[in-house]
Amino acid sequence: MAKKTPAGWTRKHLLGLEDLSAGEIRHLLDAAEKFLPYATGRKPAPQRLRGRTVLNLFCEDSTRTRTSFTLAAERLGARVVQFHAVTSSLKKNETLLDTARNIEAMGLDAIVIRHSDRGAPEAVAQAVQCAVLNAGNDAHEHPTQALLDMLALRHKLGRLDGLTVAIVGDIRHSRVARSNLYGLTKLGSRVIFIGPPAFLEGLGDLAAPVETSTDLDAILPDCDAVMMLRVQFERHEGVALDLEDYKRAYQLTAKRLARAKRGAIVLHPGPINRGLELTDEVADGPQSVILHQVTCGVAVRMAALSLCIGALDRERKSAKSSPLTPPLSRRGRGSNEKTARPKGHRTRRGRRP
Ligand code: CP
């Protein structure tokens, strides 16, 4: 029940990596590494979240992230409620915030949210009391994806400090690229965004300096890792892309990969457009860690849920023991009723103070 939460983690929300310190990111990765032996479910995990309830509030499609959060929470003993936007009362014009507040009123410890609106996770975090974890918002951030990428890199290459990581492809529409830029550079990696000019536009909102290149072949000899991104056709309004030109310059083939450093690894967050971003030979080859990334994802989400719910527990505990909110039994004569009432609380007669 989040009792063994490592000291020092104070955030009940995980909304992005932009605002986290290097120490906080390391803290999450170290916690995730301890969960790795339990990530496939073959070894029973400690029941840190027994009795807790997690809502998967997904308003965009997902295979990996939804399944991974579900398995992570359930293996730690939590109950997971699956929200499906297409069959919900969002279709009857209920707002996202009303949806979140109503489900929270049934008793929640955490909401995992994916949404096409960049502001949605932050708005929900402000509207509810429970923990909120961002599972991807528009092209903004996907913090647990970047953390699992970093865990896979650290696990396979032994370090993050001093690595050169190429992130290749549809950078412009990628929340994965943004979260990885924040996370990896804070832990000492060099990150280079690579793609055609049309995919390197729109990076003005980035809160970190970024190196870019249009020449994958020139950069590959420096690379310890190559992260290929999905071409996000569904977000391509106004982007003209010649697929044959794209493959000629950016598709990761075995021949091209041979230019990278010896032992370089290949990552892809999924889903893959097979035969476009990379060939089958590379996707399924010995340098690919794509399925290991997915396993790392369960460990990262176990850590993120445990840490955020642990911080929520401490907040709930300190609210309970605060002298401003004494238990009702202590509010007799002599207690300061005025200061004891939280703002907006109703009096016994139902009037607002
Ligand atoms: N990597 C990722 O976010 O995959 P899904 O869209 O399947 O969740």
Side-chain angles (χ1 to χ4, degrees), residues 116 137-141 172-175 178 205 235:
S116 57
N137 58 333
D138 190 38
H140 183 231
E141 283 232 37
R172 176 174 171 177
H173 303 101
S174 177
R175 51 199 177 206
R178 283 165 173 74
D205 65 326
R235 299 186 204 265

Side-chain angles (χ1 to χ4, degrees), residues 58 61-66 114 135 142 145 175-176 269-271 301:
F58 277 58
D61 297 341
S62 169
T63 294
R64 276 148 293 273
T65 313
R66 184 197 280 274
R114 168 170 288 192
H142 192 348
Q145 176 66 48
R175 51 199 177 206
V176 177
R301 283 147 187 154

Side-chain angles (χ1 to χ4, degrees), residues 15-298:
L15 301 180
L17 298 192
E18 180 185 339
D19 293 333
L20 298 194
S21 67
E24 286 174 310
I25 294 170
R26 226 174 268 120
H27 193 126
L28 274 161
L29 292 176
D30 292 346
E33 198 159 297
K34 293 192 184 116
F35 281 116
L36 257 182
Y38 311 106
T40 60
R42 282 185 210 113
K43 183 174 169 183
Q47 298 296 286
R48 299 266 176 88
L49 299 181
R50 195 201 310 270
R52 303 317 184 100
T53 306
V54 175
L55 172 68
N56 269 347
L57 179 51
F58 277 58
C59 302
E60 256 189 20
D61 297 341
S62 169
T63 294
R64 276 148 293 273
T65 313
R66 184 197 280 274
T67 310
S68 179
F69 265 112
T70 301
L71 291 175
E74 288 183 352
R75 285 179 185 154
L76 295 177
R79 172 190 296 265
V80 182
V81 177
Q82 303 291 351
F83 175 88
H84 295 278
V86 285
T87 53
S88 76
S89 290
L90 287 174
K91 291 283 178 196
K92 303 177 203 165
N93 290 333
E94 183 165 40
T95 68
L96 179 69
L97 299 189
D98 278 339
T99 300
R101 285 196 202 103
N102 274 266
I103 303 178
E104 189 186 32
M106 301 180 211
L108 285 182
D109 297 287
I111 295 175
V112 176
I113 178 169
R114 168 170 288 192
H115 205 282
S116 57
D117 183 335
R118 174 184 174 138
E122 173 84 47
V124 168
Q126 285 179 16
V128 299
Q129 306 301 313
C130 68
V132 175
L133 294 92
N134 179 8
N137 58 333
D138 190 38
H140 183 231
E141 283 232 37
H142 192 348
T144 56
Q145 176 66 48
L147 288 164
L148 74 86
D149 295 335
M150 293 166 77
L151 186 62
L153 281 162
R154 197 171 83 167
H155 198 234
K156 291 291 179 186
L157 300 178
R159 68 198 162 98
L160 292 172
D161 191 28
L163 293 184
T164 296
V165 181
I167 302 184
V168 184
D170 193 352
I171 309 285
R172 176 174 171 177
H173 303 101
S174 177
R175 51 199 177 206
V176 177
R178 283 165 173 74
S179 288
N180 266 295
L181 174 72
Y182 298 134
L184 283 167
T185 54
K186 282 175 190 177
L187 294 202
S189 299
R190 176 185 176 205
V191 172
I192 309 168
F193 283 170
I194 302 173
F199 284 170
L200 296 176
E201 283 174 12
L203 305 182
D205 65 326
L206 284 173
V210 60
E211 246 182 279
T212 61
S213 171
T214 55
D215 192 344
L216 175 59
D217 288 327
I219 300 292
L220 275 172
D222 293 338
C223 293
D224 299 287
V226 189
M227 184 184 299
M228 303 306 296
L229 297 178
R230 181 173 71 90
V231 177
Q232 300 193 37
F233 293 105
E234 73 277 16
R235 299 186 204 265
H236 275 197
E237 213 173 301
V239 179
L241 183 71
D242 182 311
L243 290 184
E244 290 311 312
D245 281 353
Y246 183 79
K247 284 199 266 187
R248 257 191 302 280
Y250 300 105
Q251 185 183 67
L252 195 60
T253 60
K255 188 172 169 211
R256 194 163 252 148
L257 179 58
R259 297 173 64 87
K261 280 188 190 170
R262 181 193 286 267
I265 60 173
V266 176
L267 301 95
H268 192 304
I272 299 173
N273 290 308
R274 279 186 176 264
L276 176 54
E277 295 107 30
L278 67 182
T279 59
D280 288 348
E281 193 184 6
V282 172
D284 306 323
Q287 287 165 273
S288 167
V289 300
I290 293 171
L291 294 180
H292 185 58
Q293 285 173 265
V294 179
T295 304
C296 287
V298 179

